[in-house]
């Protein structure tokens, strides 16, 4: 499977894997429990409500399984979740959450939240740029 096509990996019972597991990428294990995936519009809505009700800073990465640049950035995003344990990290695939992510025009897009409010947004790639933004918002 390549990064250009939507990856469908069947689980036991015939279901399709979604979120981080559905990317087909080898991703670093999150050691702090601060990394989650939105696997549907409903789960994304619940995650966003939690972020908005929380004082904890958060970053949401919007991407797509068919987006080559998104696939390149996802391992770094997961690795950085271990470097910034005080931030909540969320991955949302725009194809798995089509209604709640319809405002996203570019992938990858990163949105940063503090005290429940969106305070910053970053488009595109660049591990160093992302690291600097995470440091700024942590």
């Amino acid at each position: 499977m390549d990064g250009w096509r939507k990856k469908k990996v069947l689980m036991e019972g015939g279901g399709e894997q979604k979120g981080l597991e559905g990317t087909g990428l080898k991703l670093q294990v999150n050691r702090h429990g601060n990394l989650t995936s939105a696997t549907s519009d409903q789960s994304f809505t619940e995650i966003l409500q939690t972020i908005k009700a929380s004082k904890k800073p958060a970053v949401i990465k919007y991407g797509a399984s068919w987006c080559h640049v998104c696939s390149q950035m996802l391992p770094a995003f997961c690795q950085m979740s271990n470097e910034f344990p005080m931030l909540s990290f969320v991955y949302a695939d725009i194809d798995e959450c089509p209604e709640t992510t319809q405002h996203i025009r570019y992938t990858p897009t990163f949105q940063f939240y503090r005290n429940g409010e969106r305070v910053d947004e970053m488009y595109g790639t660049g591990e160093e740029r992302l690291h600097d933004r995470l440091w700024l918002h942590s």
Side-chain angles (χ1 to χ4, degrees):
M1 287 187 228
D2 63 29
W4 291 96
R5 294 186 178 90
K6 181 145 175 106
K7 296 169 185 71
K8 293 189 178 193
V9 181
L10 297 180
M11 300 179 345
E12 283 184 34
E16 183 182 322
Q17 286 187 339
K18 293 186 174 186
L20 292 168
E21 292 79 20
T23 64
L25 299 172
K26 184 177 171 111
L27 302 172
Q28 190 173 60
V29 174
N30 178 260
R31 298 185 309 261
H32 303 290
N34 62 333
L35 175 63
T36 189
S37 299
T39 56
S40 66
D41 285 315
Q42 180 180 347
S43 71
F44 183 73
T45 300
E46 292 168 2
I47 290 168
L48 199 54
Q49 287 172 343
T50 301
I51 288 170
K52 289 183 176 183
S54 173
K55 297 290 185 194
K56 186 174 182 177
V59 58
I60 301 173
K61 178 194 185 293
Y62 297 92
S65 60
W66 47 262
C67 171
H68 182 66
V69 175
C70 299
S71 296
Q72 288 177 324
M73 283 296 294
L74 192 54
F77 182 75
C78 293
Q79 184 259 328
M80 287 181 205
S81 71
N82 288 317
E83 291 180 41
F84 296 93
M86 298 308 292
L87 278 167
S88 293
F89 286 73
V90 179
Y91 170 70
D93 187 305
I94 61 171
D95 293 325
E96 294 174 5
C97 310
E99 296 299 316
T100 51
T101 62
Q102 62 185 338
H103 64 286
I104 299 300
R105 297 289 174 243
Y106 307 101
T107 57
T109 293
F110 300 87
Q111 292 180 342
F112 301 86
Y113 288 79
R114 186 177 306 139
N115 295 324
E117 299 291 325
R118 188 172 71 194
V119 295
D120 197 5
E121 193 167 59
M122 182 182 116
Y123 306 106
T125 187
E127 290 181 31
E128 189 172 325
R129 282 179 56 221
L130 177 59
H131 187 277
D132 290 348
R133 291 278 178 92
L134 293 170
W135 178 84
L136 178 67
H137 295 295
S138 64

